[in-house]
Amino acid sequence: MGQQTVDRSDNVAYNRAKLWQIILFAANNTSTNIYLVAFSFVTYFSTGILGLAAIFVSQLMGYIRIFDGIIDPSIGVLIDKTDTKFGKYRPILILGNLITALSFIFLFNIDHFGKALTMPLFIVALIIHKIGYSMQQTITKAGQTALTNDPKQRPIFNIADGVMSAILFSGSQIVVSGYLMKKHGGFTDSFFNELMWGVIIISAILGALAVVGIWEKDNKKYFGLGEEKTQKTEMKDYIKVIKGNKPLQVLSISAALIKFSAQLFGDAVVTVMLFGILFGDYALSGVISGLMVIPNVLVTTFAASVARKKGLRRAYIMCLQVGIAALAGVAGLLFVAEPGSLNLTSWGGFSLAFVVLYALGRYFASAPSGLVLTMGADISDYETSVSGRYVSGMIGTIFSFTDSIASSFAPMVVGWVLAAVGFAKEYPTAETALTSDLKLATIALFAIIPIAVLLVSLFLMKFYKLDNEEMARVQEKIHAMKAAKDNERVQDIAKNVPLSDMDYVDLSQYPVDEP
């Protein structure tokens, strides 16, 4: 292998990916998110088909997400310890997708086992599902560290992911409200059977594309400092990482709060309450979803463009600020809204204002969730620069852990709010009459609670310091560590060279072999 001398204008010898590799690997997030979309309808399956109480299901779904968070660190260790001829990431991705698919087949056939087994089998199915989902979903964050470390390239992942996610979330609502509901006459057995197989097939195809995308980069030479110089990690070291990595602590909590609000935006029950009850026409949810595809893509692309120019931190904060302001406007409109207020045929002032503020509020407030997928890779690189360790799996699952704990409260909060207004046994449907209590519950779940949570998330970002300049220093330090002659020198640089000192280091003195 030839040597490459890097000057200050180039900063470091980046590991870059081809555009098609980034796009295909981004499909992994959509592959797991399609299960997340389908999962929001499990509440109707559990109450309508299985006959379980709504308040019980809402709390159980929350506890299952907490369980998901508890097992996530174990999955992170599994990923970090995986070392096969087939790579580190591909085996976990494929196994996770297979387990998740089998869990869905099991879940939507529980009603065939008899009433006595309904509750225990429902819980078992949810647990199996969460294990498979976490395995595959964590690869989205962990694999990006190997895919590319170029700060100009990493946000491209967010654009690709954003486009696919926009098509998924908007398209799924169109399919459910405009096709499946009409074809099957509501949330029936046949509805869930078609939903199940559609989700399994689409997810498997997207997962296969992601495997192709990460194929070349799923190699030890792209992990951390490379096979020889990356420090071996013992179980006790994971505690050190969690306790000592402040960017990880801050961003994981901030991102979890954003995911919580995003869960409320996309919750199937909240969607029914907003469009089916408050506006009086559930089919509007599908129409709105169709209209939102382009705004969603534009917001995601804009956020990624800001990230490429100004850094991920700047883009993250900007999205939160715009999202909070727009949601405040949505809250104001919902207070004066009544059935029939939203008319997408005549397009009056209310309808136009709602659509614009809805698009800005929902998608700017949710955009940081996509940016976090890439920021997790930044934090993994930061950890490598200060310890010499490569623990992308663990760092990815720490985000999943806090994400699961926070998002577990979304169905719980929906259940609590609805129980407070008289819906403890069953969820309101599109046929439920609008009352003042239901209206206030809808406004609280879709706007007021998210605004409060997002303000806390925004405050936490004051303590997250990995901006563009700091990440340049991180990559420069990793470059110097790769050029070190032995592991002792690697550790010396990691422990004794602060990132601030990298401003005074001449990287031309650190030639490294090209990967």
Side-chain angles (χ1 to χ4, degrees):
M1 303 293 287
Q3 285 194 327
Q4 178 182 3
T5 301
V6 182
D7 60 26
R8 292 293 293 183
S9 63
D10 252 350
N11 289 326
V12 295
Y14 286 116
N15 159 38
R16 294 184 173 94
K18 299 178 180 68
L19 179 61
W20 65 265
Q21 291 175 317
I22 298 174
I23 294 172
L24 290 188
F25 184 63
N28 192 59
N29 196 43
T30 311
S31 176
T32 53
N33 276 341
I34 193 170
Y35 278 104
L36 196 62
V37 170
F39 216 72
S40 67
F41 295 96
V42 170
T43 51
Y44 285 106
F45 175 78
S46 59
T47 55
I49 305 298
L50 299 182
L52 301 175
I55 188 66
F56 166 78
V57 172
S58 69
Q59 304 312 299
L60 177 61
M61 299 289 269
Y63 291 132
I64 288 296
R65 285 191 174 94
I66 293 175
F67 167 80
D68 181 27
I70 293 172
I71 65 169
D72 278 340
S74 300
I75 292 173
V77 174
L78 173 65
I79 293 172
D80 288 334
K81 298 297 183 183
T82 297
D83 182 11
T84 72
K85 292 182 179 179
F86 197 52
K88 176 188 291 289
Y89 300 118
R90 287 169 289 169
I92 305 296
L93 190 161
I94 293 171
L95 182 60
N97 188 266
L98 179 62
I99 292 173
T100 309
L102 292 175
S103 75
F104 247 44
I105 295 174
F106 180 38
L107 174 64
F108 288 111
N109 284 281
I110 288 175
D111 53 315
H112 298 145
F113 290 89
K115 288 289 184 183
L117 294 175
T118 295
M119 188 179 300
L121 290 182
F122 184 63
I123 294 173
V124 170
L126 294 181
I127 290 173
I128 295 173
H129 173 80
K130 285 303 177 183
I131 292 173
Y133 175 85
S134 293
M135 290 175 69
Q136 185 181 355
Q137 195 267 344
T138 300
I139 297 300
T140 300
K141 300 183 183 76
Q144 287 191 64
T145 58
L147 189 66
T148 176
N149 64 350
D150 185 347
K152 299 293 184 184
Q153 274 201 327
R154 278 184 171 167
I156 295 175
F157 177 95
N158 302 117
I159 297 175
D161 174 57
V163 171
M164 285 185 272
S165 294
I167 294 172
L168 167 66
F169 289 113
S170 297
S172 62
Q173 189 60 40
I174 294 172
V175 170
V176 169
S177 65
Y179 170 68
L180 290 179
M181 290 281 286
K182 293 180 179 178
K183 177 181 178 181
H184 300 286
F187 297 118
T188 61
D189 261 327
S190 58
F191 169 94
F192 289 110
N193 186 63
E194 186 166 352
L195 177 71
M196 174 191 73
W197 285 112
V199 166
I200 289 173
I201 292 170
I202 294 172
S203 177
I205 293 171
L206 293 170
L209 293 176
V211 168
V212 174
I214 196 67
W215 194 286
E216 179 189 345
K217 297 304 181 81
D218 195 2
N219 188 299
K220 290 180 181 178
K221 63 185 177 183
Y222 299 112
F223 301 162
L225 302 175
E227 183 176 0
E228 296 180 359
K229 293 176 182 176
T230 298
Q231 302 303 302
K232 301 298 180 185
T233 304
E234 306 295 336
M235 287 299 296
K236 61 182 180 181
D237 294 325
Y238 287 111
I239 302 300
K240 295 179 182 178
V241 171
I242 295 171
K243 291 176 63 176
N245 194 316
K246 187 173 180 179
L248 173 62
Q249 297 166 1
V250 171
L251 188 63
S252 61
I253 297 174
S254 174
L257 295 175
I258 291 171
K259 188 60 177 287
F260 167 82
S261 65
Q263 288 283 106
L264 289 181
F265 295 146
D267 187 87
V269 179
V270 176
T271 301
V272 167
M273 293 168 65
L274 178 62
F275 294 102
I277 300 175
L278 180 53
F279 287 131
D281 185 359
Y282 181 61
L284 284 172
S285 64
V287 178
I288 287 288
S289 292
L291 292 174
M292 290 299 110
V293 172
I294 293 177
N296 193 351
V297 171
L298 289 176
V299 168
T300 302
T301 303
F302 176 70
S305 299
V306 173
R308 296 187 74 186
K309 294 177 181 178
K310 304 292 186 180
L312 286 157
R313 180 182 181 274
R314 180 76 64 84
Y316 186 104
I317 291 173
M318 178 272 297
C319 287
L320 280 177
Q321 292 170 334
V322 175
I324 290 169
L327 284 174
V330 170
L333 289 176
L334 293 182
F335 271 111
V336 300
E338 296 290 344
S341 296
L342 184 60
N343 188 327
L344 302 183
T345 302
S346 60
W347 284 100
F350 179 94
S351 298
L352 183 61
F354 176 80
V355 169
V356 171
L357 289 174
Y358 176 92
L360 293 175
R362 178 168 180 174
Y363 296 114
F364 269 105
S366 302
S369 290
L371 296 175
V372 164
L373 297 174
T374 308
M375 295 167 82
D378 283 355
I379 290 176
S380 182
D381 287 344
Y382 168 80
E383 179 60 36
T384 299
S385 75
V386 297
S387 70
R389 302 186 187 97
Y390 181 66
V391 286
S392 62
M394 169 56 70
I395 286 174
T397 52
I398 291 300
F399 280 99
S400 297
F401 171 73
T402 54
D403 177 294
S404 296
I405 296 298
S407 63
S408 69
F409 287 102
M412 288 184 175
V413 168
V414 172
W416 291 332
V417 171
L418 288 176
V421 295
F423 290 87
K425 292 184 177 180
E426 59 183 7
Y427 292 112
T429 67
E431 289 72 39
T432 303
L434 177 65
T435 64
S436 58
D437 285 344
L438 265 180
K439 182 175 183 178
L440 289 174
T442 303
I443 297 170
L445 290 171
F446 192 83
I448 303 302
I449 294 174
I451 287 172
V453 169
L454 293 171
L455 283 170
V456 176
S457 179
L458 180 61
F459 171 76
L460 288 172
M461 290 305 292
K462 285 175 162 283
F463 307 99
Y464 182 80
K465 303 301 182 183
L466 296 184
D467 56 15
N468 242 13
E469 292 74 18
E470 190 74 349
M471 283 310 303
R473 298 184 190 104
V474 165
Q475 296 300 344
E476 289 170 357
K477 187 174 178 181
I478 290 175
H479 175 94
M481 293 165 74
K482 285 181 177 180
K485 61 183 180 179
D486 53 40
N487 285 339
E488 184 177 345
R489 178 59 178 155
V490 167
Q491 281 299 291
D492 181 58
I493 295 173
K495 294 178 180 178
N496 300 317
V497 179
L499 287 171
S500 57
D501 285 1
M502 296 312 301
D503 291 334
Y504 310 103
V505 173
D506 180 6
L507 288 181
S508 65
Q509 303 303 310
Y510 294 91
V512 296
D513 289 336
E514 294 179 356

